Amino acid sequence: MPYKDSVQRVSPRTQTQITGNVSCKTGSSNGIVKDLSEEGICFQLYFDIGARTGQEVTIRSEELGLLTGIVRWNRGDRIGIKLKLSSNTAAQIASYYKFFQG
């Protein structure tokens, strides 16, 4: 069974191809949001920025605006980010679904 099929998700994920930028204290990279949920993002980095588990990151994209979160995992060129939940974050995610997935 593939790994992603065996993981229990709190929120359903949507596959995306949103371009954006992730930055942290050790660097910054453009890349692609590969999947999105109300609570997290899988971001594929174009360049290794040295992001480590537990490190705070900022995500910027035209479709999502400015979001912040914590790195939960990193595997090769991808990092999993748990979003800092707030009413603003929820509104930004809802807006993406309304205007770009509609």
Side-chain angles (χ1 to χ4, degrees):
M1 174 184 309
Y3 174 77
K4 68 180 181 179
D5 292 337
S6 67
V7 174
Q8 292 290 328
R9 299 281 183 200
V10 174
S11 301
R13 302 232 166 196
T14 301
Q15 300 295 310
T16 71
Q17 289 294 311
I18 301 169
T19 57
N21 179 279
V22 168
S23 58
C24 61
K25 66 181 181 180
T26 55
S28 177
S29 174
N30 289 335
I32 300 170
V33 176
K34 299 302 282 182
D35 69 37
L36 172 69
S37 77
E38 294 174 354
E39 298 192 11
I41 289 174
C42 173
F43 196 93
Q44 183 175 19
L45 301 165
Y46 291 158
F47 303 101
D48 182 11
I49 60 173
R52 300 292 174 244
T53 302
Q55 193 169 35
E56 186 169 322
V57 294
T58 302
I59 305 102
R60 292 178 180 83
S61 84
E62 197 169 306
E63 295 90 343
L64 296 171
L66 179 68
L67 301 169
T68 58
I70 303 293
V71 177
R72 292 293 305 260
W73 54 263
N74 53 40
R75 294 184 193 103
D77 63 350
R78 294 183 184 204
I79 58 174
I81 302 166
K82 178 174 176 47
L83 296 174
K84 285 192 176 175
L85 302 180
S86 68
S87 57
N88 188 47
T89 298
Q92 287 170 269
I93 301 295
S95 177
Y96 167 77
Y97 285 118
K98 180 178 179 180
F99 294 109
F100 296 100
Q101 290 288 308

